[in-house]
Amino acid sequence: MSVRAQSHLPLRHRHVRIGLTMITGALALVAVVCSALAMRYQERIVEASRYNGTFDFSQGAVELLRLQLALERRPQPNQISEINLRYGIFNNRLKVLKSNPILKEAGYLPMVENLESQIREIGETLAGSRDIAVLAQQGQRLTPIVPSLMRLVSVSHARTGDVILQNQQELKLISAILYSIILALVAFGAILITLVFRQNGKLDEAVRTDALTGLSNRLDFKSVITSPAIRGQAHSVIVIDVDHFKALNDTLGHDAGDLLLSDLSRRLQRAAPDGRLVARMGGDEFAILYSGPDADRRSTAACERILSIMRIPFLIDGREIHSSVTMGLSHSGGEGETSDELYKNADIALYISKTEGRGRFRAFRPDMKHALMRRQKLQADLGEAIARDEFFLLFQPIVDLATGRTRGFEALLRWQHPELGLIPPLEFISIAEESGQIGAIGRWVVEAACRQAARWPESIFVAVNVSAKQLTDPRLAEDISSCIRSHGITAQRLEIEITETALIENDETAVRTLHTLRENGCRISLDDFGTGYASLSYLCRFPFDKLKIDRSFVRNAMQNTESITVIHMVCALAEKLGLNIVAEGIEMEDQRRLLQAASCQYGQGYLFARPLSANDSEQRLGSEHVFALPLSA
Ligand code: C2E
Ligand code: MG
Ligand code: MG
């Protein structure tokens, strides 16, 4: 099982990354400068080898020699043009030589300037007298200059070599620096890439981790369930939902809610050590993935363990909090079933499990899809049911066990659906609660019950079931009071039946509404007493007028001595607390006797009457000659 550790990217890493990036940038800059320098040195080497002064000097020496020879040969007048040509060539060469920087560097400038003045004189002679003897004389004067020019050839040669060598050395140095920088850049780049990869890994983990619990989140769950690594294996998915988590969050605060979720995540990991993944899918919803051999058996066992581990109360801020979870389970195995369908099936099973009562789990069956569709249809049609007059009330007598006479009636709602027939309240009340339609339906019930009570004698009360959701409506008490007034009945004749869930879910608001109702004169009875797990604590928190022992105790009373003991205890307790007590679901005479023996005053059940239509209820009262009896039950 993989449980992800909470990950935070440390600040230090960020600083290292910024530092490395800056160093890499600076090195890259230096590398660019070095490359520019290297190119410059290279250009210098090329330049030195291409514009070689050595050639100019050696050519100059040859051309001077030719001029000297032409002069010394005592030329005939017709050969003057050749001297002119030689002179012209060398004169031009001299201009080129004069611009060569080596002359100055090597101290040969005076020699060349001397040569220049001689050449100028030769030029003047050539232009003036054209005296052959003078020309020959001047040719002889050139003799010592030729070796100097030849020396310049080797000086220039050596000088060019020096320039090339020097630039080569600098190029070598720059290249070495450049190589080092490139190596450093590669190293830093490698470190940076490693860091980026590592951080990406951490980011990826953070994206797939639930920050509160450290478990995988929905994204990770989806990617694991669809990963090729587990394709082809058998899977089971458990979807877990915390019961009444919103109420807990509202009453104890979000911090307490967070603590509960964290604690729950640890419990889930303990309960499913062989699961492949435990994930928080969001809010109060968790999921566990089982894969591999026996996934169905192992996941079912995990559900059992989760239920038993949830019986241990949570210790939050020094308070013991009881909480439960409802689960849906689905196993792979269907043809072409995708992981999405598997999850959806578990979700449907969870939904159905919730409608059957919380704190349990159900494994998905294909017929659940039909049940879900039926619920969705009922929910859609509920909106129109009042307007289409599809609701009606039945009234089940509540009788005095000693005399069998009717003391009041419990109003029981029925829905005559145009296509699906008669729908029992156990099916549609939870849908109405879920969709928020219970408010309007509840008002209709109180109205219809009060209208009917007004037709009965004064002594007969009517009990109305009010669901937990209705008690959250702050206008409920006022609505009921005005309904009572408008039908001209006394408030004592209306009894409000609530179940323990009303107090579990909406503790404070519910208790406030109940107090107001009671102050207005209505009576409050606790329905289905004994089916919740904390009944006695609720008895201390609210001053009820009546307890209704759940029919499961009455049903078991004949076979089960524990149920008889509970009935005796509850009756004794009610007597001590000054509460009236009604036993529900009495179907046999033996049960009636047993309850009477336990000092239970009132009863309700098929033994006395099934729920009756309004007309039948009036006939029953007529046959009992009930008129103006004191209101006692
Ligand atoms: P509940 O308040 O405990 O109502 C008693 C249920 O027990 C009724 O079922 C009644 O028909 C049934 N019952 C009475 N005597 C016997 C008996 O001897 N044997 C057996 N097996 N059952 C008996 P029903 O009418 O189906 O109502 C079921 C539940 O639906 C009620 O339980 C109540 O919680 C809820 N409910 C009914 N009407 C309303 C309503 O108007 N508003 C709300 N919020 N809930 C309602
Ligand atoms: Mg009831
Ligand atoms: Mg009941």
Side-chain angles (χ1 to χ4, degrees):
M1 178 176 58
S2 95
V3 177
R4 298 187 175 279
Q6 204 166 341
S7 71
H8 296 290
L9 301 180
L11 203 62
R12 197 165 52 86
H13 278 189
R14 208 172 306 157
H15 286 160
V16 170
R17 206 185 52 201
I18 292 170
L20 279 175
T21 311
M22 283 171 70
I23 293 172
T24 310
L27 282 176
L29 213 65
V30 176
V32 170
V33 173
C34 286
S35 305
L37 279 176
M39 275 167 70
R40 207 144 140 235
Y41 291 136
Q42 257 174 344
E43 272 167 19
R44 276 196 199 160
I45 292 168
V46 170
E47 209 172 292
S49 23
R50 189 181 296 163
Y51 304 109
N52 196 341
T54 314
F55 172 78
D56 290 335
F57 287 117
S58 55
Q59 277 299 107
V62 171
E63 282 155 10
L64 186 63
L65 265 174
R66 283 191 182 142
L67 177 63
Q68 191 190 12
L69 276 175
L71 288 170
E72 282 179 351
R73 218 189 289 141
R74 291 180 180 271
Q76 298 304 306
N78 62 346
Q79 288 174 325
I80 288 296
S81 61
E82 193 202 330
I83 295 174
N84 268 337
L85 177 71
R86 298 284 169 216
Y87 171 80
I89 291 172
F90 185 71
N91 203 22
N92 282 341
R93 178 70 63 191
L94 198 60
K95 280 182 198 144
V96 175
L97 293 182
K98 245 189 98 184
S99 65
N100 195 315
I102 289 175
L103 290 181
K104 205 172 173 189
E105 284 168 30
Y108 280 80
L109 201 57
M111 185 272 283
V112 173
E113 278 167 358
N114 181 28
L115 180 63
E116 197 180 17
S117 72
Q118 280 187 42
I119 291 296
R120 205 179 305 122
E121 275 174 36
I122 292 170
E124 283 162 10
T125 313
L126 275 173
S129 64
R130 295 197 179 188
D131 184 339
I132 304 296
V134 175
L135 286 175
Q137 210 178 358
Q138 280 176 339
Q140 273 164 12
R141 276 179 61 203
L142 290 175
T143 309
I145 294 173
V146 173
S148 302
L149 212 53
M150 291 308 284
R151 233 182 354 263
L152 261 176
V153 172
S154 57
V155 167
S156 166
H157 183 70
R159 190 78 194 146
T160 306
D162 284 352
V163 169
I164 290 174
L165 193 70
Q166 191 188 342
N167 279 296
Q168 269 177 340
Q169 275 169 353
E170 290 190 15
L171 190 63
K172 230 186 235 173
L173 182 71
I174 287 291
S175 301
I177 295 174
L178 209 55
Y179 286 140
S180 318
I181 290 174
I182 288 168
L183 280 180
L185 275 176
V186 169
F188 284 133
I191 296 172
L192 264 176
I193 288 170
T194 315
L195 274 182
V196 167
F197 267 116
R198 204 180 289 171
Q199 282 199 346
N200 274 356
K202 283 186 178 165
L203 271 176
D204 189 51
E205 196 174 304
V207 164
R208 291 162 179 278
T209 304
D210 173 59
L212 175 68
T213 60
L215 295 177
S216 288
N217 61 14
R218 180 181 288 274
L219 187 76
D220 197 40
F221 189 87
K222 277 211 150 192
S223 74
V224 171
I225 200 173
T226 51
S227 71
I230 62 168
R231 205 168 287 154
Q233 294 183 20
H235 302 313
S236 292
V237 170
I238 309 172
V239 181
I240 302 147
D241 192 81
V242 182
D243 298 333
H244 313 300
F245 183 71
K246 190 183 170 303
L248 187 136
N249 239 352
D250 291 347
T251 47
L252 297 181
H254 287 254
D255 288 345
D258 284 355
L259 285 174
L260 186 129
L261 292 177
S262 303
D263 194 348
L264 174 62
S265 72
R266 288 188 289 275
R267 290 186 185 198
L268 293 179
Q269 288 166 48
R270 278 205 307 277
D274 51 342
R276 184 163 195 113
L277 193 72
V278 179
R280 182 178 172 217
M281 306 301 276
D284 61 340
E285 192 180 312
F286 293 81
I288 303 176
L289 172 68
Y290 271 82
S291 58
D294 267 358
D296 49 354
R297 187 191 52 75
R298 290 185 292 123
S299 57
T300 309
C303 288
E304 305 277 7
R305 283 196 296 273
I306 292 169
L307 286 185
S308 77
I309 217 166
M310 287 304 288
R311 286 190 202 110
I312 306 165
F314 289 81
L315 196 66
I316 290 166
D317 293 338
R319 287 177 68 175
E320 276 195 359
I321 308 288
H322 290 268
S323 184
S324 61
V325 294
T326 306
M327 292 173 279
L329 175 62
S330 75
H331 308 297
S332 65
E335 287 283 302
E337 191 176 50
T338 65
S339 53
D340 251 7
E341 279 166 346
L342 194 65
Y343 191 86
K344 262 189 209 144
N345 290 347
D347 223 22
I348 291 173
L350 168 68
Y351 184 82
I352 299 296
S353 182
K354 276 187 194 170
T355 64
E356 290 175 357
R358 292 162 191 254
R360 62 186 68 194
F361 74 93
R362 286 284 169 267
F364 174 79
R365 289 187 322 266
D367 62 279
M368 283 181 173
K369 273 189 187 164
H370 300 294
L372 182 67
M373 275 156 63
R374 181 178 160 96
R375 275 184 81 86
Q376 283 164 346
K377 176 165 177 52
L378 290 182
Q379 185 180 325
D381 295 348
L382 259 181
E384 298 294 312
I386 293 180
R388 292 200 295 231
D389 205 16
E390 290 167 4
F391 286 130
F392 64 95
L393 289 182
L394 292 183
F395 301 93
Q396 187 174 31
I398 295 173
V399 305
D400 189 323
L401 283 183
T403 63
R405 289 173 71 89
T406 305
R407 298 311 226 168
F409 292 90
E410 179 176 4
L412 295 164
L413 183 59
R414 298 290 180 266
W415 179 15
Q416 186 66 49
H417 191 279
E419 298 157 47
L420 304 172
L422 197 63
I423 316 286
L426 282 178
E427 187 173 4
F428 70 82
I429 291 292
S430 62
I431 300 174
E433 284 177 340
E434 205 178 276
S435 63
Q437 290 155 310
I438 191 68
I441 295 174
R443 275 192 290 279
W444 183 91
V445 170
V446 172
E447 162 72 28
C450 289
R451 196 186 322 123
Q452 184 56 43
R455 296 172 59 88
W456 295 328
E458 283 271 320
S459 57
I460 301 297
F461 69 86
V462 65
V464 170
N465 293 284
V466 169
S467 88
K469 281 272 152 55
Q470 286 173 264
L471 291 176
T472 57
D473 180 358
R475 292 167 315 171
L476 181 77
E478 181 45 42
D479 283 355
I480 290 179
S481 293
S482 72
C483 187
I484 290 168
R485 277 195 302 274
S486 70
H487 288 285
I489 62 169
T490 54
Q492 289 94 317
R493 291 182 64 198
L494 181 67
E495 261 182 33
I496 306 293
E497 290 193 9
I498 62 155
T499 56
E500 286 163 358
T501 44
L503 298 176
I504 297 169
E505 284 184 29
N506 323 288
D507 215 341
E508 274 175 40
T509 334
V511 170
R512 212 177 308 128
T513 307
L514 288 174
H515 273 293
T516 315
L517 284 167
R518 201 158 185 270
E519 280 156 20
N520 293 349
C522 298
R523 298 173 181 212
I524 313 291
S525 64
L526 186 55
D527 203 355
D528 304 341
F529 184 74
T531 50
Y533 59 86
S535 309
L536 293 178
S537 74
Y538 290 114
L539 282 184
C540 304
R541 276 158 81 184
F542 187 79
F544 289 99
D545 297 285
K546 192 184 267 182
L547 289 189
K548 295 185 81 175
I549 302 177
D550 190 67
R551 65 173 181 270
S552 56
F553 290 101
V554 177
R555 189 177 53 231
N556 296 336
M558 304 313 296
Q559 304 96 30
N560 185 329
T561 50
E562 279 99 29
S563 289
I564 300 174
T565 314
V566 170
I567 289 170
H568 275 267
M569 294 287 292
V570 171
C571 290
L573 183 78
E575 206 179 332
K576 281 256 181 306
L577 294 172
L579 306 177
N580 284 316
I581 191 144
V582 180
E584 295 181 307
I586 302 175
E587 294 181 352
M588 291 175 291
E589 181 54 29
D590 287 351
Q591 289 169 328
R592 190 193 68 81
R593 265 203 298 275
L594 195 142
L595 284 153
Q596 219 185 335
S599 315
C600 177
Q601 300 140 294
Y602 305 103
Q604 178 181 356
Y606 296 166
L607 177 67
F608 313 108
R610 289 191 174 249
L612 307 172
S613 67
N615 277 344
D616 289 350
S617 73
E618 287 169 25
Q619 270 184 22
R620 179 180 172 96
L621 292 176
S623 68
E624 284 183 14
H625 307 292
V626 183
F627 296 108
L629 270 180
L631 182 64
S632 55

